[in-house]
């Protein structure tokens, strides 16, 4: 009976443990594989996040701020602005923009500190659950604790196997031994050890299983760290955008108020307002130089100037320099600069708005009525356009008075200069637009030059500013 009882007890106990262990191990193996994958992926992601940070993790805020590339950029811009001084627009912009970059660096520092605290540190501890990382680790269910429990379970399994082996050996001794009572008592003690080892093993298994299932039941909470990363980035970019939007209007206003802006390619109204002038600087400067040395030059406005000399003169006029003496000897370059200025205006001197009216006036067949129609349109020009057109036409009329020498009759002047004074607001190159309207433009510009004193009876307007050589300036005689 003893041997039969022993055999049955061995079989039932072994089968129960084996069956339960196989089911548990199969489920646990799947979870462990997934958990290992999560650990590896989290580790790799953590490393990549760290490389995205521009500051040094773990250092105090002040040192970290100094090491940011944005801080270095800010300091370089501020220093550069100080060296260039307030009289330089570049220096002024560098200083203001450098201060803005420093504010952006401060926002970046706060962002990276927040990312380190709310995302990187928790990931580094491998998914701590909804607690501050400063609290005791015993409050968490995390992968390191699960791995620790797994090692403990392995030891308890070895203890159970050892106790069970000793108990099996004792039960075998009962069959072959003589002192059955003593051997049975020993076997019972060993059986208690087996039961105790099994209980410990089962408790550890239960705890391990509970922790692993709990870990994956909280997967949504762990995924929250990645959502927090995006939320922090969104908040950082919003704050950075706020910084930029707060300084950009001021920067733009300072830039717009800067008077030293190129005249070529700038609208007439803007140029006159910025420079506090009544006549555009390139127009006045070129007319003054041509009055001095170009009135007898044959083919003025028709013969092309040297490209390098023309480029140099345009650049000199753009920076508002008064050192123009060297250009007095090249009237074709001066005439070319005047043509370029008129051609590069965003809107023609004689206005897009009145283009159709100009064309209709030029189509009037009777000469006297055509002149009257042209005068009506001319009188509708905006004040600044009319003042600058009057200045130019009065000069062109004076130029035509020497047409026997310079060969520039009102008709010739209208042909070469008219397409730069009026063109249609249509798509296409300037050459295409000029070709499409050249015939009409000539019939508009030629009579205006011929009858300049009738269109503009005020006389040739001479602004108060001085352009050109100080000695023997023609303005002194007018």
């Amino acid at each position: 009976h003893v041997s039969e009882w022993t055999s049955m007890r061995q079989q039932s106990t072994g089968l129960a443990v084996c069956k339960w262990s196989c089911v548990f191990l199969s489920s646990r193996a799947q979870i462990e594989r997934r958990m290992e994958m999560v650990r590896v992926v989290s580790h790799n992601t953590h490393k990549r996040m760290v490389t995205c940070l521009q500051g040094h993790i773990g250092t105090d805020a002040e040192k970290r701020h100094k090491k940011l590339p944005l801080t270095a950029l800010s300091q370089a811009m501020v220093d550069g602005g100080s060296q260039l001084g307030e009289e330089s627009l570049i220096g002024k912009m560098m200083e203001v923009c450098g201060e803005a970059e420093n504010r952006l660096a401060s926002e970046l520092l706060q962002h990276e500190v927040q990312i380190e605290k709310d995302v990187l540190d928790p990931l580094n501890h491998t998914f701590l659950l909804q607690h501050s990382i400063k609290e005791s680790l015993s409050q968490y269910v995390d992968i390191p604790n699960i791995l620790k429990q797994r090692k403990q379970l392995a030891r308890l399994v070895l203890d159970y196997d050892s106790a069970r082996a000793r108990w099996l050996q004792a039960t075998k001794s009962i069959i072959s031994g003589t002192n059955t009572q003593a051997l049975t008592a020993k076997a019972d003690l060993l059986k208690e050890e087996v039961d105790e080892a099994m209980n410990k093993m089962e408790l550890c298994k239960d705890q391990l299983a509970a922790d692993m299932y709990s870990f994956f039941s909280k997967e949504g909470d762990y995924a929250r760290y990645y959502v927090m990363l995006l939320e922090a980035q969104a908040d950082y970019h919003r704050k950075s955008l706020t910084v930029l939007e707060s300084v950009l209007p001021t920067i733009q206003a300072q830039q717009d108020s800067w008077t030293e802006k190129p005249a070529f390619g700038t609208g007439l109204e803007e140029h006159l307002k910025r420079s506090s002038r009544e006549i555009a600087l390139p127009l006045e400067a070129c007319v003054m130089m041509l009055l001095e040395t170009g009135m007898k030059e044959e083919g003025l406005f028709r013969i092309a100037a040297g490209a390098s000399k023309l480029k140099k003169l345009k650049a000199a006029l753009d920076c508002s320099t008064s050192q123009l003496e060297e250009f007095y000897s090249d009237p074709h370059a001066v005439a070319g600069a005047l043509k370029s200025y008129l051609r590069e205006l965003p809107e023609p001197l004689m206005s897009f708005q009145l283009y159709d009216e100009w064309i209709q006036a030029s189509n009037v067949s009777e000469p006297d009525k055509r002149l009257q129609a042209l005068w009506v349109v001319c009188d509708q020009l905006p004040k600044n356009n009319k003042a600058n057109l009057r200045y130019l036409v009065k000069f062109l009329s004076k130029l035509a008075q020497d047409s026997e020498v310079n060969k520039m009759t009102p008709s010739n002047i209208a042909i070469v200069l008219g397409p730069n004074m009026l063109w249609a607001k249509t798509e296409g190159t300037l050459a295409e637009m000029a070709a499409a309207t050249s015939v009409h433009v000539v019939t508009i510009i030629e009579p205006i030059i011929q009858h300049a004193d009738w269109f503009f009876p005020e006389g040739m307007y001479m602004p108060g500013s001085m352009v050109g050589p100080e000695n023997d300036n023609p303005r002194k005689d007018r």
Side-chain angles (χ1 to χ4, degrees), residues 140-179:
Y140 310 134
V141 178
D142 55 21
I143 290 179
N145 283 346
I146 291 175
L147 296 177
K148 183 178 179 180
Q149 286 184 1
R150 190 169 64 180
K151 292 180 180 179
Q152 183 180 359
L153 177 60
R155 289 194 298 269
L156 291 175
V157 169
L158 291 176
D159 292 343
Y160 167 76
D161 289 342
S162 177
R164 185 168 179 272
R166 292 195 303 272
W167 172 65
L168 290 175
Q169 184 62 37
T171 55
K172 290 180 181 179
S173 300
I174 295 174
I175 300 173
S176 58
T178 55
N179 191 352

Short mmCIF file of all heavy atoms in Angstrom, two decimals, residues 140-179:
data_model
loop_
_atom_site.label_atom_id
_atom_site.label_comp_id
_atom_site.label_asym_id
_atom_site.label_seq_id
_atom_site.Cartn_x
_atom_site.Cartn_y
_atom_site.Cartn_z
N TYR A 140 6.67 50.97 -8.27
CA TYR A 140 6.49 50.81 -9.70
C TYR A 140 6.40 49.34 -10.09
O TYR A 140 6.95 48.46 -9.45
CB TYR A 140 7.66 51.44 -10.47
CG TYR A 140 7.97 52.83 -10.05
CD1 TYR A 140 9.28 53.22 -9.81
CD2 TYR A 140 6.96 53.76 -9.89
CE1 TYR A 140 9.56 54.51 -9.42
CE2 TYR A 140 7.23 55.05 -9.51
CZ TYR A 140 8.54 55.42 -9.27
OH TYR A 140 8.84 56.69 -8.89
N VAL A 141 5.74 49.10 -11.20
CA VAL A 141 5.81 47.81 -11.87
C VAL A 141 6.50 48.10 -13.19
O VAL A 141 5.93 48.70 -14.08
CB VAL A 141 4.40 47.24 -12.12
CG1 VAL A 141 4.49 45.93 -12.86
CG2 VAL A 141 3.67 47.06 -10.82
N ASP A 142 7.77 47.71 -13.29
CA ASP A 142 8.52 48.04 -14.49
C ASP A 142 9.32 46.83 -14.93
O ASP A 142 9.39 45.81 -14.25
CB ASP A 142 9.43 49.25 -14.28
CG ASP A 142 10.36 49.06 -13.10
OD1 ASP A 142 10.58 47.90 -12.72
OD2 ASP A 142 10.87 50.06 -12.57
N ILE A 143 9.92 46.95 -16.11
CA ILE A 143 10.65 45.82 -16.68
C ILE A 143 11.81 45.36 -15.79
O ILE A 143 11.99 44.16 -15.59
CB ILE A 143 11.12 46.17 -18.10
CG1 ILE A 143 9.91 46.24 -19.03
CG2 ILE A 143 12.12 45.16 -18.63
CD1 ILE A 143 10.23 46.60 -20.46
N PRO A 144 12.62 46.26 -15.23
CA PRO A 144 13.69 45.78 -14.35
C PRO A 144 13.18 44.94 -13.19
O PRO A 144 13.78 43.92 -12.84
CB PRO A 144 14.35 47.08 -13.86
CG PRO A 144 14.08 48.06 -14.94
CD PRO A 144 12.71 47.74 -15.43
N ASN A 145 12.07 45.34 -12.56
CA ASN A 145 11.53 44.53 -11.46
C ASN A 145 11.03 43.19 -11.95
O ASN A 145 11.17 42.16 -11.27
CB ASN A 145 10.39 45.29 -10.78
CG ASN A 145 10.89 46.39 -9.86
OD1 ASN A 145 12.07 46.43 -9.54
ND2 ASN A 145 10.01 47.30 -9.48
N ILE A 146 10.43 43.19 -13.13
CA ILE A 146 9.95 41.92 -13.69
C ILE A 146 11.12 40.99 -13.99
O ILE A 146 11.07 39.79 -13.71
CB ILE A 146 9.12 42.20 -14.97
CG1 ILE A 146 7.81 42.90 -14.59
CG2 ILE A 146 8.83 40.90 -15.72
CD1 ILE A 146 6.98 43.33 -15.77
N LEU A 147 12.19 41.55 -14.53
CA LEU A 147 13.38 40.72 -14.80
C LEU A 147 13.97 40.19 -13.49
O LEU A 147 14.45 39.05 -13.42
CB LEU A 147 14.42 41.56 -15.55
CG LEU A 147 14.01 42.04 -16.95
CD1 LEU A 147 15.11 42.91 -17.55
CD2 LEU A 147 13.71 40.86 -17.85
N LYS A 148 13.92 40.99 -12.44
CA LYS A 148 14.42 40.54 -11.14
C LYS A 148 13.57 39.40 -10.59
O LYS A 148 14.09 38.40 -10.06
CB LYS A 148 14.40 41.73 -10.17
CG LYS A 148 14.97 41.42 -8.80
CD LYS A 148 14.96 42.66 -7.93
CE LYS A 148 15.50 42.35 -6.54
NZ LYS A 148 15.49 43.56 -5.67
N GLN A 149 12.25 39.54 -10.76
CA GLN A 149 11.36 38.46 -10.29
C GLN A 149 11.57 37.19 -11.11
O GLN A 149 11.46 36.07 -10.58
CB GLN A 149 9.90 38.90 -10.40
CG GLN A 149 9.49 39.91 -9.35
CD GLN A 149 8.01 40.24 -9.43
OE1 GLN A 149 7.31 39.70 -10.26
NE2 GLN A 149 7.57 41.16 -8.58
N ARG A 150 11.87 37.35 -12.38
CA ARG A 150 12.10 36.17 -13.21
C ARG A 150 13.34 35.39 -12.73
O ARG A 150 13.35 34.16 -12.70
CB ARG A 150 12.28 36.60 -14.67
CG ARG A 150 12.28 35.44 -15.65
CD ARG A 150 12.19 35.91 -17.07
NE ARG A 150 13.36 36.70 -17.45
CZ ARG A 150 13.53 37.22 -18.66
NH1 ARG A 150 12.60 37.08 -19.56
NH2 ARG A 150 14.62 37.91 -18.93
N LYS A 151 14.37 36.10 -12.34
CA LYS A 151 15.56 35.44 -11.80
C LYS A 151 15.24 34.75 -10.47
O LYS A 151 15.71 33.63 -10.20
CB LYS A 151 16.68 36.47 -11.59
CG LYS A 151 17.24 37.02 -12.90
CD LYS A 151 18.34 38.03 -12.62
CE LYS A 151 18.90 38.58 -13.92
NZ LYS A 151 19.97 39.59 -13.69
N GLN A 152 14.41 35.45 -9.66
CA GLN A 152 14.03 34.83 -8.38
C GLN A 152 13.22 33.57 -8.61
O GLN A 152 13.39 32.55 -7.90
CB GLN A 152 13.23 35.83 -7.55
CG GLN A 152 12.84 35.30 -6.17
CD GLN A 152 12.05 36.31 -5.37
OE1 GLN A 152 11.81 37.42 -5.84
NE2 GLN A 152 11.65 35.94 -4.16
N LEU A 153 12.33 33.58 -9.61
CA LEU A 153 11.52 32.39 -9.92
C LEU A 153 12.42 31.25 -10.36
O LEU A 153 12.18 30.08 -10.00
CB LEU A 153 10.49 32.73 -11.01
CG LEU A 153 9.63 31.55 -11.48
CD1 LEU A 153 8.82 30.97 -10.32
CD2 LEU A 153 8.71 31.99 -12.62
N ALA A 154 13.44 31.55 -11.13
CA ALA A 154 14.35 30.50 -11.58
C ALA A 154 15.02 29.82 -10.40
O ALA A 154 15.17 28.59 -10.37
CB ALA A 154 15.40 31.09 -12.52
N ARG A 155 15.40 30.64 -9.38
CA ARG A 155 16.01 30.05 -8.19
C ARG A 155 15.00 29.18 -7.43
O ARG A 155 15.32 28.09 -6.93
CB ARG A 155 16.54 31.16 -7.28
CG ARG A 155 17.77 31.87 -7.82
CD ARG A 155 18.45 32.70 -6.74
NE ARG A 155 17.57 33.74 -6.24
CZ ARG A 155 17.52 34.98 -6.75
NH1 ARG A 155 18.28 35.29 -7.79
NH2 ARG A 155 16.71 35.88 -6.24
N LEU A 156 13.74 29.67 -7.32
CA LEU A 156 12.72 28.89 -6.61
C LEU A 156 12.40 27.60 -7.34
O LEU A 156 12.10 26.57 -6.69
CB LEU A 156 11.46 29.74 -6.45
CG LEU A 156 11.58 30.94 -5.50
CD1 LEU A 156 10.30 31.76 -5.52
CD2 LEU A 156 11.88 30.47 -4.07
N VAL A 157 12.45 27.60 -8.65
CA VAL A 157 12.22 26.37 -9.42
C VAL A 157 13.33 25.36 -9.13
O VAL A 157 13.07 24.15 -8.95
CB VAL A 157 12.13 26.68 -10.93
CG1 VAL A 157 12.17 25.39 -11.75
CG2 VAL A 157 10.86 27.45 -11.25
N LEU A 158 14.58 25.87 -9.05
CA LEU A 158 15.69 24.97 -8.70
C LEU A 158 15.52 24.41 -7.29
O LEU A 158 15.78 23.21 -7.04
CB LEU A 158 17.02 25.73 -8.81
CG LEU A 158 17.48 26.11 -10.23
CD1 LEU A 158 18.75 26.93 -10.17
CD2 LEU A 158 17.71 24.85 -11.07
N ASP A 159 15.07 25.26 -6.34
CA ASP A 159 14.84 24.79 -4.97
C ASP A 159 13.75 23.72 -4.95
O ASP A 159 13.87 22.70 -4.25
CB ASP A 159 14.44 25.96 -4.07
CG ASP A 159 15.58 26.93 -3.86
OD1 ASP A 159 16.75 26.56 -4.13
OD2 ASP A 159 15.31 28.09 -3.44
N TYR A 160 12.70 23.96 -5.73
CA TYR A 160 11.61 22.98 -5.78
C TYR A 160 12.09 21.66 -6.39
O TYR A 160 11.79 20.57 -5.86
CB TYR A 160 10.44 23.54 -6.60
CG TYR A 160 9.42 22.50 -6.96
CD1 TYR A 160 8.52 22.03 -6.02
CD2 TYR A 160 9.39 21.96 -8.25
CE1 TYR A 160 7.60 21.04 -6.35
CE2 TYR A 160 8.47 20.98 -8.59
CZ TYR A 160 7.58 20.52 -7.64
OH TYR A 160 6.67 19.55 -7.97
N ASP A 161 12.83 21.73 -7.47
CA ASP A 161 13.33 20.51 -8.11
C ASP A 161 14.24 19.73 -7.17
O ASP A 161 14.19 18.49 -7.11
CB ASP A 161 14.08 20.87 -9.40
CG ASP A 161 13.15 21.35 -10.49
OD1 ASP A 161 11.94 21.07 -10.39
OD2 ASP A 161 13.63 22.00 -11.45
N SER A 162 15.05 20.47 -6.43
CA SER A 162 15.97 19.81 -5.49
C SER A 162 15.19 19.12 -4.36
O SER A 162 15.46 17.96 -4.01
CB SER A 162 16.94 20.84 -4.92
OG SER A 162 17.79 20.25 -3.95
N ALA A 163 14.20 19.85 -3.80
CA ALA A 163 13.39 19.27 -2.72
C ALA A 163 12.60 18.06 -3.23
O ALA A 163 12.48 17.03 -2.53
CB ALA A 163 12.44 20.32 -2.16
N ARG A 164 12.08 18.16 -4.42
CA ARG A 164 11.29 17.05 -4.98
C ARG A 164 12.16 15.83 -5.24
O ARG A 164 11.76 14.68 -5.01
CB ARG A 164 10.63 17.52 -6.28
CG ARG A 164 9.68 16.49 -6.88
CD ARG A 164 8.85 17.12 -7.99
NE ARG A 164 7.96 16.15 -8.59
CZ ARG A 164 8.26 15.36 -9.60
NH1 ARG A 164 9.47 15.45 -10.14
NH2 ARG A 164 7.39 14.50 -10.08
N ALA A 165 13.41 16.08 -5.69
CA ALA A 165 14.33 14.95 -5.94
C ALA A 165 14.66 14.24 -4.63
O ALA A 165 14.70 12.98 -4.58
CB ALA A 165 15.61 15.48 -6.61
N ARG A 166 14.87 15.02 -3.57
CA ARG A 166 15.16 14.38 -2.27
C ARG A 166 13.94 13.60 -1.78
O ARG A 166 14.06 12.51 -1.21
CB ARG A 166 15.55 15.45 -1.24
CG ARG A 166 16.89 16.11 -1.53
CD ARG A 166 17.41 16.89 -0.32
NE ARG A 166 16.47 17.89 0.13
CZ ARG A 166 16.41 19.12 -0.33
NH1 ARG A 166 17.24 19.51 -1.29
NH2 ARG A 166 15.52 19.99 0.15
N TRP A 167 12.76 14.16 -1.98
CA TRP A 167 11.55 13.48 -1.53
C TRP A 167 11.32 12.18 -2.32
O TRP A 167 10.98 11.15 -1.76
CB TRP A 167 10.36 14.41 -1.71
CG TRP A 167 9.03 13.74 -1.47
CD1 TRP A 167 8.57 13.23 -0.31
CD2 TRP A 167 8.03 13.49 -2.45
NE1 TRP A 167 7.33 12.68 -0.46
CE2 TRP A 167 6.97 12.83 -1.81
CE3 TRP A 167 7.91 13.76 -3.80
CZ2 TRP A 167 5.81 12.43 -2.47
CZ3 TRP A 167 6.75 13.37 -4.44
CH2 TRP A 167 5.72 12.72 -3.79
N LEU A 168 11.57 12.22 -3.62
CA LEU A 168 11.43 11.00 -4.44
C LEU A 168 12.42 9.93 -3.99
O LEU A 168 12.08 8.72 -3.94
CB LEU A 168 11.63 11.34 -5.92
CG LEU A 168 10.53 12.18 -6.59
CD1 LEU A 168 10.92 12.55 -8.02
CD2 LEU A 168 9.21 11.41 -6.58
N GLN A 169 13.62 10.37 -3.68
CA GLN A 169 14.62 9.41 -3.21
C GLN A 169 14.20 8.78 -1.89
O GLN A 169 14.38 7.56 -1.67
CB GLN A 169 15.98 10.12 -3.04
CG GLN A 169 17.12 9.19 -2.65
CD GLN A 169 17.39 8.13 -3.70
OE1 GLN A 169 17.30 8.41 -4.90
NE2 GLN A 169 17.71 6.93 -3.27
N ALA A 170 13.58 9.58 -1.01
CA ALA A 170 13.13 9.04 0.29
C ALA A 170 12.00 8.06 0.11
O ALA A 170 11.93 7.03 0.82
CB ALA A 170 12.69 10.19 1.19
N THR A 171 11.09 8.33 -0.82
CA THR A 171 9.97 7.40 -1.05
C THR A 171 10.46 6.07 -1.61
O THR A 171 9.90 5.01 -1.30
CB THR A 171 8.95 8.03 -2.01
OG1 THR A 171 9.59 8.41 -3.23
CG2 THR A 171 8.30 9.26 -1.39
N LYS A 172 11.51 6.12 -2.41
CA LYS A 172 12.07 4.87 -2.93
C LYS A 172 12.72 4.06 -1.81
O LYS A 172 12.70 2.83 -1.81
CB LYS A 172 13.10 5.18 -4.02
CG LYS A 172 12.50 5.73 -5.30
CD LYS A 172 13.59 6.01 -6.32
CE LYS A 172 12.99 6.57 -7.60
NZ LYS A 172 14.05 6.88 -8.60
N SER A 173 13.30 4.78 -0.85
CA SER A 173 13.97 4.09 0.27
C SER A 173 12.96 3.35 1.14
O SER A 173 13.29 2.35 1.79
CB SER A 173 14.75 5.10 1.12
OG SER A 173 15.73 5.74 0.33
N ILE A 174 11.71 3.84 1.20
CA ILE A 174 10.69 3.18 2.01
C ILE A 174 10.43 1.78 1.49
O ILE A 174 10.27 0.82 2.25
CB ILE A 174 9.39 4.01 2.00
CG1 ILE A 174 9.63 5.36 2.68
CG2 ILE A 174 8.25 3.27 2.68
CD1 ILE A 174 8.44 6.29 2.59
N ILE A 175 10.45 1.63 0.18
CA ILE A 175 10.13 0.34 -0.43
C ILE A 175 11.23 -0.68 -0.14
O ILE A 175 10.96 -1.84 0.20
CB ILE A 175 9.93 0.51 -1.95
CG1 ILE A 175 8.78 1.48 -2.23
CG2 ILE A 175 9.66 -0.83 -2.64
CD1 ILE A 175 8.62 1.85 -3.68
N SER A 176 12.46 -0.21 -0.25
CA SER A 176 13.58 -1.16 -0.11
C SER A 176 14.13 -1.19 1.32
O SER A 176 14.92 -2.07 1.64
CB SER A 176 14.70 -0.78 -1.08
OG SER A 176 15.12 0.56 -0.81
N GLY A 177 13.73 -0.29 2.17
CA GLY A 177 14.31 -0.21 3.51
C GLY A 177 13.59 -1.12 4.51
O GLY A 177 12.52 -1.68 4.24
N THR A 178 14.23 -1.23 5.70
CA THR A 178 13.68 -2.07 6.75
C THR A 178 12.94 -1.25 7.79
O THR A 178 11.96 -1.71 8.38
CB THR A 178 14.82 -2.84 7.43
OG1 THR A 178 15.81 -1.91 7.88
CG2 THR A 178 15.46 -3.81 6.45
N ASN A 179 13.43 -0.03 8.06
CA ASN A 179 12.80 0.81 9.07
C ASN A 179 11.77 1.71 8.37
O ASN A 179 11.98 2.90 8.14
CB ASN A 179 13.86 1.66 9.77
CG ASN A 179 13.29 2.35 11.03
OD1 ASN A 179 12.07 2.30 11.26
ND2 ASN A 179 14.16 2.99 11.80
#
